[in-house]
Structure formats: structure tokens, C-alpha cells
Amino acid sequence: MEKSRPLWDNPLQFVFACISYAVGLGNVWRFPYLCQTYGGGGFLIPYIIMLIVEGMPLLYLELAVGQHMRQGSIGAWKIISPYLSGVGIASVVVSFFLSMYYNVINAWAFWYLFNSFQDPLPWANCPLNSNHTGYDEECAKTSSTQYFWYRKTLNISPSIDENGSIQWEQAVCLILAWLLVYLCILRGTESTGKVVYITASLPYVVLIIYLIRGLTLHGSVNGLIYMFTPKGSVSHSLALQLEQLANPKTWINAATQIFFSLGLGFGSLIAFASYNKPNNNCERHAIIVSLINSSTSIFASIVTFSIYGFKATFNYENCISKVILLLTNAFDLEEGAITADNLNSMKDYLTSVYPNEYAELLPQIKNCSLEAELDTAVQGTGLAFILYSEAIKNMEVPQLYSVLYFIMLLTLGIGSMLGNITAIITPLTDSKFLSTHLPKEAISGIVCFINCIIGLVFTTKAGNYWFNIFNDYAATLSLLLIVLVETIAVCYIYGLRRFEDDLHLMLGHKPNWYWKIMWAFASPVLIISLFIFYLTDYIHTGTLQYQAWDATQGQQVTKDYPSYALAVIGLLVAASTMCIPLGALITFVMKRLKRNVSTLE
Amino acid sequence: MLEILLLAFSLATIAHAELCSPGAQNAIKVRYTWDASEEYLFKAMVAFAMRRYSNKATTQISNVLLCCMTERVSFWFVVTDSSKNVTTVPGSEVEAAIRMNRNRINSAFLLTDHTLEFLKISTTLSPPVESTVPVWLVVFSVVLCLVIAGIFLLIVSGIRQRRKNNNDSAEYGDLEDQCGTQVTTENGIPCDILDLKSGHINGVYTADDERFTPL
């Protein structure tokens, strides 16, 4: 009796799993930044074009491959061609690297979540220095939220060379994060299928709550206006926005964002689709998932920018009141003589009437600018942990919003982790060798355990620098290569006609001419151009640099990577990309050996 | 919100008639929006603070002199000592007295350390409330226990299910050995068992001797 492959209970679980995997932290912290940098509203045009040309076809391709072959990535590509087993292995290696560092983000989210249950929030105020006469020195130079992130959470060292010890608080949060992931994938699709209901829907609930809260905050409109104006323009005229379209970087970033946001090439989509019933309509699901992923990005950026606007306006108004107070005190004016409206005219008046005193005061008077506050736009962990926590601490009932927000980050992160881990475990459980000797729970447990132990590196004092190395280099180039090989393999090695027939068998109709053109020409061309662009970019920039936190100055400084860090980067890229030719080579050699053996007999 | 600024002590010598003047010795500057009644209250509070501090009930409201009021509501004040004619109480004493009773003075005016400033008397920052067990550790432990309990439950139920499956298939295996070659099987399950497990025997094939085609 052959053991049947576990299946999703219903197609909805599959769609939710894909959504929860694709909709991740990148939608929240990368897209808003890109949107603002490359022209706001205008950025949507290349984004949507790339979605249609690149995102949907490649997603459909991966889902179809997984659903038809009913195997994880290694098995699926072996079926397509025995020389392509390297592609599957490369996917597993990249997924392995990703899961190593990605769960650290969940650990940080847990840390912030657990710290949200107190009044006042720990990142709301600077701690006092040792003799209680003032605030802690480092905190006074920077803001309390940055201090909490760099000192209390990461306890970051000044450079990547100084390794420091493991921060036990982060380590236990990481262990908890891995235990939670293990709990979710323990029983395979049985448990994962239930969990994705929550991880797919909860972020939307929180985003809607934040949308309502964000739009009703004072100053949120400033943020929204800022989002739709390209950087450096004074007015949001259409011409200026469209000017950004001529910039090739806009298109490249749109393509990259679509590509990585959907999570192509990791093998997770193939793994998820392999648990489908053979007649599942993966074409419709591909379109649904990619559309939901993109609209979530746009939705999240509206929320993010209204929160931005609130924070910037709050800081700007604080700055203005400080200046007003300073002037009022220095010149003994009546309370209310200087207001925000007449500040500039009062400044001119004071300069003329008391030139000497005003000149003395000048270094202390800051030039408050709303633009400057909004320009502190950031992406990545800086946005998620520093900026949002700063905005939250100024809201009413900050504990509630803080808890909601970090639960949302957690569900987004866990959802993506489920996909990554499934990509690693599915090929392992598919292999006859491992599944006969070990039960599924043990395999998942061992994978989680190994990842957890290696992940402890990221909880050391220099851990964040290694995290950034992995974040920037572990997946980028390799994925482009993997997906390129995938597309070429399906279209030209396996044969587009054969693939068409398989789809006809599964779905009941042949794919449109549109899909075929995208698979055969448009997507490979696009990926090759992205690949060339990134390679030339890497070569041009020469030495790679990173941002280190300088505690004495209270800000980030740029430093060069030491040689061993560069070696690690090279290893990361090589480890996954080399699998593809190596796999082909080994298969070739083994076939040769077998032929020799059989001819000898 | 009323802003009050504090003025520094000044240690310049003063003449009798100018006991209270800006920068006078032992004079402190204060700012506030203000009328005569508020002024009276302020004098009373300072006198109260001096009495509390030095424990002698000799300081009167008339001992507190205010001067140089500006429209910003900032002024200087000194405290005279009526026992020693015409001299002002040392600035350090006044400072200490006010520092001790700062809270009371603030509350009298419904202001805070920020809004009622005594220049030169810096606010002492209150240390944050430290609980014995950090809050995050409590929440962490709760979540950790829940997750471990969940894992344990799932693993145990998985093992139990697998053991049940093994036992069932072992049963079928035993029966086969006992009954020898006469037992007919359908997909590895003996037909008798299949029958018991609500399997349906297809009537077409029940002719015993024709069940197996002879080799």
C-alpha cells in the first residue's frame, strides 16, 4: 500500500499559504520606501507592468511545476531533467540561508512585543545615567527609540570585527521563535494548513485598524502628500512624476521588488503546490496571489505614510514649540506673543531690535523643517522597529497599538518562515532514504534545531552586521540565476509543448498565448537584464561597505567590510549558484559510470 | 500652559534698599502669568518652604520680596531674615528649602517642574519604576510554556496515532501467518477482516474454486 501524499484540506488553505508566504515584511518595509524614492504615484506604473510581465507568469510557472510533479523542488526538477537536480538543491540551499537569518526578525518582534506590556513603553524615554543627574549619554545624542533598538535590543558593537558575546535575551527570543515555527510545521500540511488561516488574515485586520488610526492622526495627510511626490520636487506635478519613469533605476527596482516579494525560486511555491490535488486551478490562484500581494504592498504603504506623516508633524511641532519657548524666555516676552504662525516675522523683528542677543542665541535656534523630518525615510529594520515604535509612543494607549503592530510583524514573519521551512523539508521528506529512517517530526525538528544553533550567531553583539550581510547577499543573485534556469528549463529543455499538454491535463484548458510568450521570451530577457545590471553594479561599487553604529556619536558611520566578511559573502553566493552546474556535472558523471558498468557486463 | 522660568541666584552684594533686584544676592527669578493673588500665594509657599526647612516658625510672608516682574511672568525674589535685620537668607538655604518642598509648590500652582522653573534648581529626575521581575520575562515565559505544551501534545498524539496504525497492520500480518495459504487477501488485507470492516464482497467473484486461476 503506497503512502498517499498529504494534501491541503481545501484549495483555500493553499491560497492562504501562498498569500501568507508572499505577503511578508518586504511589503511593509521595502515597498513604501521604494514608492517614495522613485516618484510616489508614478512608481505604480512600472510596478504594475512588471507584475503583469514578470510576476504572474513566473508564479504560475512555479505553481504548475509543483502541482504537476507532486514533489518538492529537488524531485520536481529531477523529473524535468536529471541534469537539473542542481537547481532544486540550489533552491534548498538558498532557503536554508534565508531561514537562518529570517527568524531573527521574528525574535526581535517577540522582544518588542513582550516589552509592550508596560507603562510607559521602554522606548518612550531615555534611561537615566548612573548618578541620576541626567539622561544616559548615548541616548541623549540620539533618540530614545534608536537607543532602545541599538543598545537595548541589539547591544550592537562598533564594528563587525568585534564579535562580543551572545545576548541572552535575544537568544531566548530566537529559540522561542524557532519553537513556534516547529509547532506550526510539525505535522506537515495538517498543521500548516490551519496556521495559515491566521497568518494570512491577521495582518490585514491589524493593517485596517492602523489605517483607520493612521488616517485620523494629526498630520497624517502630510505623509500621504509626501508619498505621492517624488523626492526633491516642490510640487506634485504630473510631469515630475512621469520624469521618474525615464530613470532606468525605477524599472529595475520595480522588477526586483516584484521578483523578491513573490518569493520565487526558493522552492516554497513548488512545495506548497505539490500538496495540491492534481486538478487544482493553479492559473487562477497564481493571478489571485500576485494581485493580493501587490495590493497589500500599496495598502501597507498608505498606512506607513500616514504614520510617517504623523511622526514627522509631531516632531516638527515639538521643534517649533522649543524654538518659541527659547525665544520667549530669552527676550522675556509675553506668553503667547510668538506663535507658530508669526514665528518667522517675530524672528525678523527680534533680529532687528536686539541684534546682539539674537546673534548669541542663534546656534541654539534650530531650523525646523517638515520636509527634513519626512526625509528621514528609511527602509528595512529601521522602519519597522525604530520609526514605527517612535510613532506608536506618541499615540494614545500606546501599549495597545504596540502589541497589535508587533503581532502583525510576527504573523507576517512566521507566514514567510513557514514557506521557507516547507521548501527545505518537503524535498527531505520526499527522499526515500530519509523518510524511511526518520519520521517527519524528527526531520522537521532536526532542521529547526540546526537553523536555531546557527542563528545564534545573529544574536551576538556584531550579529546585526552579519544579518545585513545575509539579507543583502544570500539570496539576491542566486535567485535570479535559479529562476532564469527554471524558466529556460521548462520552456526549452522540458519543452513548452509538453508543458502545455501537462497543464491541459491538470486544468482542462491550454494556457493562453500570453502566458507562452511571457514564459518563453519576456521573463527570461527581463531576468537576464536584471542579472547583468546587478553584476555590473557589484563590480562598479568596488569595495562593499556597511553602516556601523557609533555609540559615541549616536549615529551610523560607513565602514568597509573586512576581508573575511567579503569571503563569507562570496561563499554565500557561490554555495547556491555552484549547485546548478555541479548537479549537472555529477549527474553526467554518474550516467557515464553507469553506462561504463553496463557495457562492461 | 503657563510657562515659568527660573532665574539664577546671583551672588552680588546688594544695598539695603535694593534687597530685591535682578541679579541681587540670594535673589531667585521666577516667571508666571500672574496677578496680585498669585503673587500672594507664591510668597506664602516660599515662606512655608522656609519654615519647613529651618523648622523655625519665624519666616513671614512679608519676608519674601518679589521684584522686577516682566510680562513674561518672570521675576526675582529674595527671603529676608527678620531676626537679623535687613539681610537676606543665604541662597543655598532657600535653594535647599525649595528643593525639599518642590512638589508642594508645584501642586499649589497646578504646574510641573517644567512649567514652574526655578532656574538653578535643577529637577531631579525620578528613576524609572523597576519591578523585581522584568515584565517581558513574564510574558515570554507564558508564551514559551504554551508553545512547548502545543509541541508536546502534537508529538504525543502523532506517536499514538502511528502506534495504532502499526498495531492494526501487525494484526493483519499475524492473521495471515496463522491461516496459511488458504486465506484470500484483497490488497494485503484478509477478506474476512475486510468483511468485518464493512467491506462489500462483490457477488460476482464469490465462486470459491474459480477465485484463483490455476497456474
Side-chain angles (χ1 to χ4, degrees):
Chain A
M1 214 173 13
E2 197 193 289
K3 200 165 70 165
S4 62
R5 193 176 182 74
L7 294 174
W8 300 109
D9 288 339
N10 52 53
L12 196 64
Q13 280 189 357
F14 167 65
V15 176
F16 272 18
C18 290
I19 291 176
S20 115
Y21 168 65
V23 174
L25 295 161
N27 298 66
V28 171
W29 77 30
R30 176 111 177 110
F31 182 80
Y33 170 79
L34 286 176
C35 202
Q36 200 285 316
T37 317
Y38 292 109
F43 182 71
L44 291 178
I45 299 177
Y47 186 70
I48 292 177
I49 292 178
M50 286 299 160
L51 172 68
I52 296 176
V53 168
E54 182 199 2
M56 285 191 204
L58 290 174
L59 183 62
Y60 183 18
L61 186 88
E62 284 218 1
L63 290 184
V65 166
Q67 190 171 304
H68 183 69
M69 308 304 171
R70 315 200 77 217
Q71 296 260 303
S73 52
I74 299 182
W77 294 109
K78 223 183 253 184
I79 294 177
I80 291 208
S81 156
Y83 292 103
L84 287 179
S85 53
V87 175
I89 298 177
S91 290
V92 172
V93 169
V94 173
S95 289
F96 189 70
F97 288 152
L98 190 85
S99 53
M100 261 196 268
Y101 78 84
Y102 201 84
N103 223 10
V104 180
I105 305 175
N106 289 329
W108 293 330
F110 265 127
W111 167 253
Y112 269 82
L113 175 66
F114 296 150
N115 273 304
S116 307
F117 288 96
Q118 37 188 309
D119 180 37
L121 292 173
W123 54 83
N125 298 312
C126 273
L128 304 176
N129 59 17
S130 42
N131 48 5
H132 288 209
T133 52
Y135 293 120
D136 180 282
E137 200 186 307
E138 189 182 346
C139 193
K141 292 214 176 75
T142 167
S143 67
S144 54
T145 43
Q146 286 197 304
Y147 175 78
F148 187 76
W149 170 246
Y150 284 110
R151 191 52 48 211
K152 286 282 153 77
T153 309
L154 301 175
N155 200 6
I156 206 164
S157 64
S159 77
I160 199 172
D161 303 301
E162 298 154 54
N163 268 329
S165 53
I166 293 183
Q167 305 302 304
W168 72 268
E169 295 100 344
Q170 301 308 312
V172 293
C173 286
L174 182 66
I175 293 174
L176 176 63
W178 275 112
L179 283 174
L180 184 61
V181 169
Y182 181 54
L183 176 66
C184 297
I185 49 141
L186 188 50
R187 292 285 208 89
T189 50
E190 210 183 298
S191 49
T192 314
K194 308 281 185 321
V195 171
V196 293
Y197 283 128
I198 303 175
T199 57
S201 47
L202 191 61
Y204 289 101
V205 173
V206 178
L207 275 176
I208 290 176
I209 294 177
Y210 259 89
L211 182 72
I212 299 173
R213 177 79 271 233
L215 289 177
T216 53
L217 282 171
H218 168 65
S220 56
V221 183
N222 293 331
L224 289 174
I225 295 175
Y226 185 68
M227 174 169 110
F228 287 106
T229 62
K231 252 191 162 84
S233 75
V234 177
S235 68
H236 47 286
S237 67
L238 203 60
L240 280 166
Q241 283 195 34
L242 294 178
E243 205 179 275
Q244 284 289 334
L245 288 181
N247 181 5
K249 276 215 158 194
T250 315
W251 293 89
I252 287 169
N253 273 299
T256 313
Q257 174 63 14
I258 289 277
F259 190 86
F260 291 118
S261 177
L262 285 173
L264 304 163
F266 286 101
S268 318
L269 295 163
I270 296 180
F272 280 150
S274 70
Y275 297 116
N276 268 339
K277 292 208 176 75
N279 60 350
N280 185 46
N281 191 350
C282 55
E283 178 177 347
R284 196 180 340 140
H285 290 158
I287 298 177
I288 293 176
V289 169
S290 45
L291 280 178
I292 290 183
N293 183 46
S294 297
S295 20
T296 310
S297 292
I298 299 171
F299 180 44
S301 59
I302 296 179
V303 175
T304 301
F305 273 98
S306 50
I307 303 278
Y308 249 4
F310 163 69
K311 168 199 115 65
T313 312
F314 188 87
N315 286 347
Y316 170 69
E317 285 177 357
N318 259 7
C319 179
I320 296 267
S321 357
K322 280 205 186 102
V323 172
I324 292 179
L325 184 63
L326 185 65
L327 288 175
T328 322
N329 285 342
F331 297 106
D332 275 339
L333 300 167
E334 203 186 321
E335 184 80 32
I338 309 183
T339 64
D341 303 319
N342 64 9
L343 180 62
N344 284 326
S345 49
M346 284 304 289
K347 272 192 190 169
D348 298 330
Y349 167 71
L350 289 169
T351 329
S352 52
V353 173
Y354 306 102
N356 292 331
E357 292 96 339
Y358 194 80
E360 273 175 51
L361 222 43
L362 207 52
Q364 289 179 50
I365 300 179
K366 282 193 244 169
N367 257 335
C368 300
S369 147
L370 188 58
E371 278 288 320
E373 288 288 336
L374 286 169
D375 258 345
T376 57
V378 282
Q379 52 164 333
T381 49
L383 169 61
F385 292 105
I386 299 178
L387 212 127
Y388 259 93
S389 54
E390 190 174 329
I392 288 172
K393 78 172 200 234
N394 296 325
M395 296 183 190
E396 286 119 44
V397 200
Q399 286 77 14
L400 171 68
Y401 290 107
S402 181
V403 167
L404 276 179
Y405 174 67
F406 290 111
I407 286 184
M408 177 183 84
L409 279 194
L410 260 180
T411 43
L412 287 173
I414 297 276
S416 304
M417 274 307 292
L418 292 181
N420 286 324
I421 293 287
T422 312
I424 303 173
I425 289 181
T426 307
L428 292 178
T429 47
D430 285 341
S431 90
K432 298 270 185 323
F433 173 68
L434 278 173
S435 55
T436 42
H437 286 92
L438 290 169
K440 173 171 59 180
E441 287 91 343
I443 297 178
S444 327
I446 292 173
V447 169
C448 289
F449 181 71
I450 295 176
N451 271 316
C452 187
I453 297 293
I454 300 178
L456 288 176
V457 170
F458 300 111
T459 58
T460 58
K461 283 195 179 178
N464 197 39
Y465 301 127
W466 290 107
F467 174 85
N468 284 328
I469 286 183
F470 272 72
N471 196 18
D472 293 335
Y473 303 108
T476 36
L477 272 179
S478 338
L479 278 182
L480 287 170
L481 190 64
I482 290 173
V483 177
L484 180 65
V485 173
E486 282 184 2
T487 326
I488 294 179
V490 169
C491 291
Y492 300 106
I493 301 180
Y494 188 71
L496 196 55
R497 203 138 294 170
R498 209 166 136 198
F499 191 59
E500 251 185 294
D501 291 335
D502 290 337
L503 283 172
H504 185 73
L505 199 69
M506 284 199 295
L507 304 175
H509 63 268
K510 289 210 172 161
N512 221 334
W513 57 266
Y514 167 74
W515 298 114
K516 289 190 276 192
I517 292 180
M518 290 302 136
W519 289 331
F521 301 113
S523 303
V525 165
L526 201 62
I527 299 175
I528 290 176
S529 42
L530 277 182
F531 198 69
I532 293 174
F533 168 76
Y534 276 111
L535 275 180
T536 50
D537 202 44
Y538 282 159
I539 295 171
H540 264 208
T541 43
T543 51
L544 298 168
Q545 298 179 313
Y546 69 104
Q547 300 287 346
W549 176 255
D550 188 345
T552 52
Q553 289 181 44
Q555 61 182 28
Q556 293 195 305
V557 292
T558 318
K559 288 196 178 155
D560 288 332
Y561 276 126
S563 46
Y564 61 87
L566 293 174
V568 169
I569 294 176
L571 214 72
L572 279 177
V573 179
S576 40
T577 47
M578 285 302 125
C579 287
I580 303 178
L582 270 178
L585 192 66
I586 291 176
T587 320
F588 180 67
V589 164
M590 284 179 68
K591 283 211 160 162
R592 263 299 195 61
L593 283 174
K594 246 189 233 166
R595 216 186 307 152
N596 286 346
V597 168
S598 56
T599 51
L600 281 173
E601 284 174 357
Chain B
M1 190 174 67
L2 300 165
E3 303 279 346
I4 298 193
L5 283 184
L6 307 172
L7 297 182
F9 283 155
S10 133
L11 294 174
T13 53
I14 31 83
H16 168 82
E18 296 163 336
L19 274 178
C20 178
S21 61
Q25 188 178 30
N26 308 326
I28 306 178
K29 191 177 180 194
V30 181
R31 294 181 188 148
Y32 194 53
T33 52
W34 209 234
D35 55 3
S37 319
E38 300 275 356
E39 200 179 309
Y40 191 77
L41 178 60
F42 184 78
K43 286 186 188 175
M45 290 310 295
V46 174
F48 163 78
M50 290 306 300
R51 285 193 181 200
R52 265 290 146 93
Y53 177 70
S54 51
N55 271 331
K56 45 185 183 182
T58 51
T59 324
Q60 303 292 329
I61 290 183
S62 48
N63 287 118
V64 183
L65 305 173
L66 270 58
C67 58
C68 301
M69 205 95 47
T70 64
E71 45 178 32
R72 177 72 184 98
V73 190
S74 65
F75 49 82
W76 293 84
F77 75 91
V78 288
V79 181
T80 56
D81 197 344
S82 34
S83 55
K84 308 169 192 149
N85 269 340
V86 183
T87 53
T88 54
V89 177
S92 49
E93 262 189 57
V94 183
E95 198 182 312
I98 293 188
R99 214 193 275 267
M100 204 171 83
N101 296 291
R102 191 63 188 277
N103 227 12
R104 296 292 292 272
I105 301 179
N106 282 351
S107 318
F109 292 98
L110 301 175
L111 293 174
T112 67
D113 277 358
H114 279 292
T115 40
L116 172 55
E117 280 187 82
F118 288 88
L119 293 180
K120 254 224 184 161
I121 304 177
S122 52
T123 57
T124 49
L125 303 161
S126 57
V129 178
E130 284 282 336
S131 56
T132 45
V133 181
V135 176
W136 77 269
L137 208 52
V138 172
V139 190
F140 167 78
S141 322
V142 170
V143 176
L144 185 67
C145 291
L146 285 173
V147 171
I148 291 181
I151 292 177
F152 188 67
L153 276 170
L154 280 184
I155 290 183
V156 163
S157 68
I159 292 177
R160 221 180 274 165
Q161 213 175 54
R162 203 168 293 134
R163 210 173 285 164
K164 209 175 76 166
N165 285 344
N166 283 344
N167 280 344
D168 287 345
S169 60
E171 274 173 31
Y172 304 148
D174 288 342
L175 275 165
E176 210 173 273
D177 292 337
Q178 282 168 14
C179 301
T181 50
Q182 283 290 332
V183 172
T184 50
T185 56
E186 199 79 42
N187 277 340
I189 309 170
C191 283
D192 312 328
I193 309 292
L194 199 60
D195 206 16
L196 285 168
K197 295 230 180 243
S198 72
H200 293 284
I201 297 201
N202 192 332
V204 177
Y205 298 103
T206 43
D208 273 323
D209 31 348
E210 284 168 72
R211 192 169 298 216
F212 291 119
T213 44
L215 284 166

